[in-house]
């Protein structure tokens, strides 16, 4: 019985360590995203920068990783803000752009409700987060496809 208790305690500590590592990784990704978000790339009036503007550049990769976390964890609005910050734009359900964005976006999950936009390359290409019932319901990319 004692060995089972030790095993359970060891597993619990290992799980706590994994959770702590995931939280630290999320915080590091979020901090790097916030830093790159402040810099204007080509589509936001600045010069072309590989890490900001290129397909699979660092900013694009960070946003993809953060989107995966949002989809997996389905946080509430406060959790999204903690990870991503305030959205660049919000589009309410029923607004003229809402149906267009739903149609043109490559979604993972079931989109509905208010759409939060996080710009990758200005408003040219964006990560959308669909807030369904106060939580993340879907994420998707709205690309210009030029």
């Amino acid at each position: 019985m004692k060995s089972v208790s030790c095993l359970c305690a060891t597993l619990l500590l290992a799980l706590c360590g994994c959770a702590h590592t995931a939280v630290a990784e999320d915080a590091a990704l979020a901090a790097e995203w916030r830093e790159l978000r402040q810099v204007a790339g080509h589509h936001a009036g600045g010069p072309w920068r590989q890490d900001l503007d290129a397909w699979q550049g660092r900013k694009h990769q960070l946003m993809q990783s953060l989107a995966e976390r949002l989809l997996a964890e389905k946080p509430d609005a406060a959790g999204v803000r903690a990870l991503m910050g305030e959205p660049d734009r919000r589009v309410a359900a029923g607004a003229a752009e809402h149906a267009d964005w739903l149609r043109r976006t490559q979604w993972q999950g079931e989109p509905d409700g208010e759409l939060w936009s996080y710009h990758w390359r200005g408003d040219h290409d964006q990560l959308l987060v669909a807030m369904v019932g106060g939580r993340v319901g879907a994420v998707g990319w709205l690309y210009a496809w030029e």
Side-chain angles (χ1 to χ4, degrees), residues 17-48:
C18 290
H20 179 70
T21 301
V23 169
E25 185 178 316
D26 284 356
L29 290 173
E32 188 177 358
W33 150 248
R34 282 191 298 274
E35 184 179 310
L36 289 178
R37 189 179 190 195
Q38 300 304 313
V39 183
H42 175 73
H43 294 281
W48 172 270

Side-chain angles (χ1 to χ4, degrees), residues 10 21 25 50 58 63 73 83 91 107:
T10 302
T21 301
E25 185 178 316
Q50 184 73 17
R58 185 62 185 153
M63 293 177 78
E73 297 166 12
L83 196 61
V91 174
W107 291 104

